[in-house]
Amino acid sequence: MKKIIIAIDGYSSGGKSTFAKAVAAKLGYIFIDTGAMYRAVTLYAMRQGIADDPAAITAALPGIRIDFRFNPQTGRSDVYLNGENVETEIRRIDVSNRVSSVSSIPEVRAKLVAMQQEMGRAKGVVMDGRDIGTVVFPDAELKIFMTADPRVRAERRYKELTAKGETVSMEEIERNIRERDRQDETREVSPLRRAADAVLLDNSRMTVEQQMEWIDEQLERFG
Ligand code: C5P
């Protein structure tokens, strides 16, 4: 099969990363979690005390370096912020609560979209996010839009965070997911929406194995 770009978009906590990672491993492709990049910028802004100041965040952008480095212990890539591994910290609920407002800043998007386009230039990538099929790679060979029931998404997120030892309530998670969906769908610059040519995957009641069977069917047309 010739190398293609697989763009995966959808709502928060819909299992995009789990699915994208599995697809990348199966194909020997690079997996890029673009949400991690927006989270890293948000973490930087929070540490500087400028998370509520779009002009200050824009001014700080040249000093924010983000990259991914392979972690042999986990077998996946971790995100680095100015040389520091922030993979765990960026998943915290306080970062989740602020990331949608930081990601609505046009200058932040311009910088990260340009980086993402560069990362996918050689193809052979699975990229997940909110605007991959619409803005980052409108010509991606395979576009997938993932959805799942909000309650199912909240339960998954709850299990993930409590397994890591974070103290959160289901209510807080549901509120966060609802609010991020709303902000992501209504922002002016590249809002979350399904590309006209994206195939829909509702994984509310699907196991990862069933999702892998589904992707096999999708990939058949690429030979
Ligand atoms: O995918 P994840 O939930 O980690 O993304 C965190 C946030 O980053 C999203 O809620 C959204 O506000 C933003 N994001 C975005 N565009 C992307 C990926 C993520 O705006 N391509």
Side-chain angles (χ1 to χ4, degrees), residues 46-205:
M46 288 168 71
R47 286 177 173 176
Q48 300 293 315
I50 56 171
D52 295 322
D53 186 345
I57 295 173
T58 300
L61 282 174
I64 305 179
R65 197 164 36 82
I66 294 166
D67 55 56
F68 289 96
R69 298 185 205 167
F70 186 72
N71 179 339
Q73 267 159 8
T74 58
R76 58 179 171 72
S77 291
D78 291 341
V79 67
Y80 282 71
L81 169 64
N82 291 338
E84 174 194 350
N85 186 334
V86 291
E87 184 61 36
T88 306
E89 218 173 332
I90 57 161
R91 311 285 163 194
R92 278 189 341 228
I93 190 94
D94 58 339
V95 178
S96 300
N97 283 335
R98 303 198 102 122
V99 62
S100 287
S101 80
V102 173
S103 69
S104 68
I105 301 169
E107 290 82 358
V108 171
R109 303 205 70 81
K111 174 174 169 127
L112 298 190
V113 166
M115 283 178 67
Q116 291 152 12
Q117 288 171 335
E118 183 56 33
M119 290 171 175
R121 217 155 48 93
K123 302 216 175 182
V125 296
V126 182
M127 200 173 275
D128 93 50
R130 302 292 187 289
D131 60 343
I132 311 305
T134 51
V135 174
V136 183
F137 291 114
D139 297 326
E141 288 83 352
L142 177 58
K143 298 181 188 177
I144 298 168
F145 193 84
M146 284 181 77
T147 62
D149 183 80
R151 183 79 202 178
V152 172
R153 291 191 276 138
E155 278 165 9
R156 286 184 188 147
R157 194 67 167 194
Y158 180 76
K159 278 192 202 142
E160 202 176 287
L161 288 175
T162 49
K164 284 186 195 155
E166 195 164 335
T167 320
V168 279
S169 65
M170 266 299 277
E171 289 66 36
E172 188 176 4
I173 290 176
E174 282 194 83
R175 205 181 323 121
N176 173 259
I177 287 179
R178 255 199 319 272
E179 184 51 25
R180 276 204 287 153
D181 286 352
R182 190 192 65 75
Q183 288 192 43
D184 293 347
E185 279 182 315
T186 56
R187 70 170 169 240
E188 275 181 33
V189 190
S190 38
L192 168 65
R193 60 180 173 78
R194 178 182 170 187
D197 51 352
V199 274
L200 189 70
L201 171 61
D202 182 338
N203 72 0
S204 305
R205 271 162 267 296

